[in-house]
Amino acid sequence: KQEVTQIPAALSVPEGENLVLNCSFTDSAIYNLQWFRQDPGKGLTSLLLIQSSQREQTSGRLNASLDKSSGRSTLYIAASQPGDSATYLCAVTPSPSGNTGKLIFGQGTTLQVKP
Amino acid sequence: EPEVTQTPSHQVTQMGQEVILRCVPISNHLYFYWYRQILGQKVEFLVSFYNNEISEKSEIFDDQFSVERPDGSNFTLKIRSTKLEDSAMYFCASRKEGNTEAFFGQGTRLTVV
């Protein structure tokens, strides 16, 4: 059974710092991995999607990497800003799922960036 | 930019009542989903829907739940005989294909009293 874990559960950094959020998954049989941002009481905003054949994806100050064989992904945030404060979720699409495309989520890392 | 729309944003219902949560997925998407997030817990998969039928459901999705695509745009989740433990945020999501980017709505917060 696929399990997704995110470390740390919470992180507090001063503005301007570069930081790394970690995600691990137990079964390497995945179609892709997606990172989301969730603001308190709000929906999930897609940040980056990495297909299983890719090693990394970049969007602005965000860079996500994927090492499928070791079951790990990282989300790198450069020059953090107070507006980056949110919970970051990673989720995988298992490949033996009949291509239904369901997502299995980690519990998230709650980031606070202090001015 | 196209988005997934959910209504209502918040619903309060009495235990034992039936509720219908509504979603309008992105128009050219073919795969539709419901997820739920109990306060402080992980986002959990409930059900996937493709080609007008359920393609996969979790063990949470028992006979109390049903989904429907009543027309070409809406996708609904019905919860019969609600229980206190059904209180959660319910998210609708859609994808163009099964392995493409998933887009989520803003959620419906269901409170059962």
Side-chain angles (χ1 to χ4, degrees), chain B:
Chain B
E1 184 173 320
E3 59 181 15
V4 176
T5 305
Q6 289 186 243
T7 54
S9 57
H10 190 190
Q11 172 122 26
V12 180
T13 190
Q14 292 213 324
M15 193 166 51
Q17 295 297 303
E18 175 182 288
V19 296
I20 297 176
L21 310 184
R22 302 180 191 279
C23 170
V24 178
I26 294 173
S27 63
N28 63 346
H29 285 191
L30 301 177
Y31 293 77
F32 314 119
Y33 307 87
W34 285 100
Y35 293 81
R36 80 174 184 188
Q37 186 178 32
I38 295 171
L39 189 64
Q41 297 188 21
K42 288 186 178 185
V43 176
E44 304 173 285
F45 167 76
L46 292 178
V47 65
S48 60
F49 192 86
Y50 171 72
N51 201 25
N52 282 320
E53 61 182 18
I54 291 174
S55 49
E56 186 173 357
K57 58 184 181 179
S58 71
E59 57 193 26
I60 302 169
F61 194 89
D62 59 19
D63 292 343
Q64 186 193 5
F65 296 89
S66 62
V67 290
E68 192 178 32
R69 187 154 164 83
D71 53 41
S73 59
N74 291 284
F75 180 51
T76 62
L77 174 68
K78 182 188 291 185
I79 309 175
R80 286 179 284 274
S81 189
T82 50
K83 300 176 278 196
L84 294 176
E85 54 265 39
D86 294 327
S87 295
M89 183 77 99
Y90 288 82
F91 293 110
C92 174
S94 68
R95 293 186 193 246
K96 195 170 186 179
E97 305 278 350
N99 61 349
T100 56
E101 190 174 8
F103 293 90
F104 281 69
Q106 289 300 299
T108 293
R109 179 167 299 285
L110 177 65
T111 303
V112 182
V113 297

Side-chain angles (χ1 to χ4, degrees), chain A residues 72-105:
Chain A
R72 294 182 183 178
S73 176
T74 61
L75 179 67
Y76 174 83
I77 302 177
S80 58
Q81 303 170 356
D84 295 330
S85 299
T87 296
Y88 291 81
L89 303 174
C90 77
V92 299
T93 302
S95 58
S97 68
N99 200 29
T100 64
K102 73 176 182 185
L103 287 165
I104 298 176
F105 282 83

Side-chain angles (χ1 to χ4, degrees), chain A residues 17-21 61-63 75-81 84 88 111:
Chain A
E17 203 163 283
N18 302 324
L19 55 101
V20 174
L21 307 182
R61 293 184 294 108
L62 305 179
N63 176 277
L75 179 67
Y76 174 83
I77 302 177
S80 58
Q81 303 170 356
D84 295 330
Y88 291 81
L111 172 66

